[in-house]
Amino acid sequence: MEVLNQFPIRTQLFINGVFVDPIKGGKFPSYNPATNEVITEVAAGTKEDIDVAVAAAKAALYSENWGLKSTGAQRAVILRKIGEILVERKEWFATLDSYDMGKPIREALADLGDAITACEHFANLAEEQDKHQNEVIENGTNGDFKTEILYEPLGIIGAITPWNYPLLMGIWKVIPAIAAGCCMVLKPSELAPLTCLALGDVVNAAGLPAGALNIVSGYGPDAGAPLAEHDDIDKVAFTGSIPTAKKIMLGAALGPRAISLELGGKSPLIVFDDADVDATVDWIITGILWGSGQVCSATSRVLLQKGIKDRVLARLRERLDTIKIGNSLDAELMTHQGPTMGPVVSKGQYDRILSYIDHGRTVEGLNFFYGGEDAQANLKARLGDGYFITPTVFIDVPTTSKVWNEEIFGPVLCIRDFETEEEAVRIANDTIYGLAAAVFSADLVRCDRIARNIRAGVVWKNCCQPAFVQAPWGGYKKSGFGRELGRWGLEEYTGVKQITSCASGFQWGLW
């Protein structure tokens, strides 16, 4: 833990370029989920702080050195500097993320790698946008009118981010917003706010003008709701649950203002008889145990063609037996060469996941393939007060089951078999969600056919869970709308203006 002494752990709000106490003086505890111990007390922002933060963002938007007056080249310099600072502080940020949220350090380091890549990618996109400023388009008037296109910052963004990727989800919103020249008020989850608050030091060191990024920690009703409802917010960007999204949409409708939502899913993973068993099982484990299953795209519904089912299950048990579960910052876990899993983020999440497991066992009478009461009790006895949950696998799960249909957001896998491709596609699409899906087969033509028939925003063929900053991320149906990352992510924060002029001497001639 000595690495955390390298830089201050920020607990105040970050508004207009400085760290400040909340106006009402409130605080809330941030816990280490591996031990249930309080790490620190964090500033609890309220509507009053949101008002000050939005005013700072508005001033920056209309200032002479940022926002509407800035260029893509200017923004790119700052983005690359942010990336350089993240490289220098990579181990520190990863350790703090692991400490605050519970994910294994190797996962946190992977998140930092993605964050650093995003800085360079969006710097390039900002520079590319400059090349298209004032582009003249054909308007069909044979020169009587001239129409130019101008790309501008969309305005002031209210961003509300989740706890499962504390820093990375902040980066997914902050970096493209900066690339577009927007100004932002970021409200990180109260369950893991520390790395987002530390971004204040990073953007200051990178030379981002004061007010361009403001960070207000706090509870959803006290800080998130006032942010979504604020009259000066031009767009709300949210990642989280459907119930919270509905509240945010109501707040945004008061504007009305733009909104983008990424709301998770219940993603299917389809395995055909000709798939490579060993490789497929490794991807299955990645799809459900990365982040202890607390991943919006987790492939928690697995469909096995009948001819391969027994071989996949046998290999799955072997691999699950090799997983090391424990405190993500313990030396034993950090040096373990096989799969590792840390705790879930909080007691509320812990209780919620266990309630689904208990429902599957006692109410629905589902078949345990892996996990169960004894395994969970042994884990509790070994690891104490942390929020650790043993991987749990139900097999032969009916499609009417609650645990098959509802997003559990934990290390709980549901498996059933199928016979035909048509049946697999039908079952996969029979969900309210549409974020992601995966298909495994040696027949690449079939993989491509399945990918095009699955109603999801992201489909993986013979792999599971890779995400690239160059590619769009987002879903269909109740998994939300709008896209993050790639040029599509920049477009979410960009306003497009036409400027049309009349040729000298032209007369409209309508009256």
Side-chain angles (χ1 to χ4, degrees):
M1 296 298 291
E2 290 183 6
V3 66
L4 291 180
N5 295 327
Q6 295 175 359
F7 303 100
I9 296 177
R10 297 295 188 178
T11 60
Q12 294 174 291
L13 312 180
F14 180 72
I15 299 177
N16 205 27
V18 295
F19 287 95
V20 297
D21 290 327
I23 291 172
K24 290 188 173 181
K27 295 183 179 181
F28 63 89
S30 184
Y31 293 91
N32 176 357
T35 62
N36 195 28
E37 296 173 341
V38 175
I39 299 171
T40 187
E41 297 283 326
V42 180
T46 60
K47 179 182 182 300
E48 291 78 6
D49 303 297
I50 293 294
D51 288 343
V52 176
V54 172
K58 187 173 183 178
L61 182 69
Y62 292 98
S63 68
E64 291 299 316
N65 62 343
W66 192 250
L68 298 168
K69 300 289 181 66
S70 64
T71 66
Q74 175 190 350
R75 303 163 200 158
V77 170
I78 291 174
L79 288 170
R80 292 195 175 98
K81 185 61 178 176
I82 291 173
E84 291 171 6
I85 296 168
L86 290 177
V87 169
E88 296 167 358
R89 305 185 185 189
K90 183 176 181 179
E91 186 180 3
W92 183 85
F93 268 105
T95 303
L96 186 57
D97 242 2
S98 182
Y99 191 34
D100 198 24
M101 182 268 169
K103 65 173 57 188
I105 192 71
R106 68 179 67 171
E107 294 184 21
L109 285 168
D111 292 352
L112 263 294
D114 288 346
I116 292 162
T117 301
C119 294
E120 177 63 26
H121 176 67
F122 281 100
N124 292 337
L125 289 179
E127 290 172 333
E128 183 66 24
Q129 192 179 83
D130 275 353
K131 298 176 184 178
H132 299 282
Q133 290 288 21
N134 303 305
E135 184 177 10
V136 177
I137 65 168
E138 175 58 48
N139 59 18
T141 66
N142 297 316
D144 292 333
F145 292 90
K146 176 185 174 183
T147 299
E148 300 170 82
I149 300 301
L150 187 65
Y151 298 97
E152 296 183 321
L154 189 60
I156 303 170
I157 311 299
I160 302 174
T161 55
W163 45 261
N164 58 335
Y165 289 84
L167 178 67
L168 186 59
M169 291 298 98
I171 289 290
W172 277 23
K173 291 173 172 44
V174 169
I175 297 304
I178 290 175
C182 292
C183 298
M184 176 176 281
V185 178
L186 170 64
K187 207 296 281 185
S189 170
E190 66 274 14
L191 294 180
L194 297 181
T195 47
C196 274
L197 288 170
L199 275 179
D201 284 321
V202 174
V203 298
N204 273 352
L208 185 71
L213 175 64
N214 307 274
I215 308 166
V216 179
S217 52
Y219 293 110
D222 299 330
L227 180 59
E229 297 170 4
H230 201 287
D231 287 340
D232 286 334
I233 292 292
D234 296 295
K235 174 179 177 170
V236 179
F238 171 74
T239 299
S241 69
I242 289 177
T244 303
K246 291 179 178 179
K247 297 176 183 177
I248 288 172
M249 286 190 76
L250 289 172
L254 296 175
R257 59 187 58 87
I259 186 169
S260 58
L261 304 172
E262 199 269 84
L263 307 179
K266 191 75 175 179
S267 301
L269 186 153
I270 304 170
V271 184
F272 286 93
D273 286 343
D274 60 352
D276 181 313
V277 171
D278 288 351
T280 298
V281 168
D282 282 349
W283 286 116
I284 289 173
I285 288 175
T286 300
I288 193 59
L289 297 187
W290 189 269
S292 300
Q294 302 166 118
V295 178
C296 55
S297 58
T299 38
S300 53
R301 294 185 296 144
V302 170
L303 295 161
L304 302 177
Q305 199 164 25
K306 287 188 175 181
I308 202 172
K309 178 180 177 182
D310 291 344
R311 287 179 290 149
V312 169
L313 291 178
R315 180 58 177 162
L316 180 61
R317 186 182 294 277
E318 290 176 359
R319 293 293 283 142
L320 288 172
D321 285 341
T322 69
I323 291 174
K324 188 75 174 178
I325 303 173
N327 187 327
S328 303
L329 295 175
D330 284 351
E332 185 179 7
L333 204 75
M334 294 173 70
T335 58
H336 182 65
Q337 295 303 306
T340 59
M341 200 172 81
V344 299
V345 72
S346 67
K347 185 178 189 306
Q349 185 69 4
Y350 177 83
D351 291 342
R352 181 177 184 273
I353 295 167
L354 290 183
S355 72
Y356 271 101
I357 295 172
D358 185 65
H359 177 89
R361 178 180 65 86
T362 62
V363 178
E364 298 185 1
L366 299 180
N367 296 323
F368 272 116
F369 173 77
Y370 201 89
E373 283 187 295
D374 290 344
Q376 185 61 37
N378 292 337
L379 191 67
K380 179 73 174 176
R382 179 170 69 86
L383 295 174
D385 292 333
Y387 304 127
F388 299 95
I389 295 180
T390 189
T392 301
V393 182
F394 292 108
I395 59 172
D396 303 322
V397 182
T399 58
T400 55
S401 166
K402 178 178 179 179
V403 296
W404 178 267
N405 288 294
E406 296 185 13
E407 185 179 39
I408 298 173
F409 224 60
V412 181
L413 186 64
C414 295
I415 298 177
R416 62 172 291 113
D417 56 37
F418 70 93
E419 293 185 355
T420 68
E421 178 179 319
E422 293 75 20
E423 180 188 8
V425 171
R426 176 180 56 79
I427 294 173
N429 282 332
D430 185 19
T431 174
I432 64 172
Y433 298 103
L435 180 56
V439 56
F440 289 81
S441 173
D443 184 343
L444 299 184
V445 174
R446 174 164 57 190
C447 285
D448 190 61
R449 187 169 59 243
I450 294 285
R452 295 174 189 280
N453 287 329
I454 294 291
R455 187 67 174 159
V458 180
V459 181
W460 298 291
K461 300 188 295 186
N462 290 316
C463 60
C464 187
Q465 301 304 320
F468 308 102
V469 299
Q470 300 85 355
W473 183 270
Y476 299 140
K477 299 190 279 189
K478 291 190 178 180
S479 287
F481 47 82
R483 291 295 182 266
E484 299 195 88
L485 304 181
R487 60 180 173 84
W488 305 269
L490 182 62
E491 289 169 1
E492 291 285 340
Y493 299 98
T494 301
V496 182
K497 176 187 288 185
Q498 65 143 307
I499 302 176
T500 295
S501 58
C502 180
S504 177
F506 177 79
Q507 297 296 316
W508 192 240
L510 294 182
W511 56 75

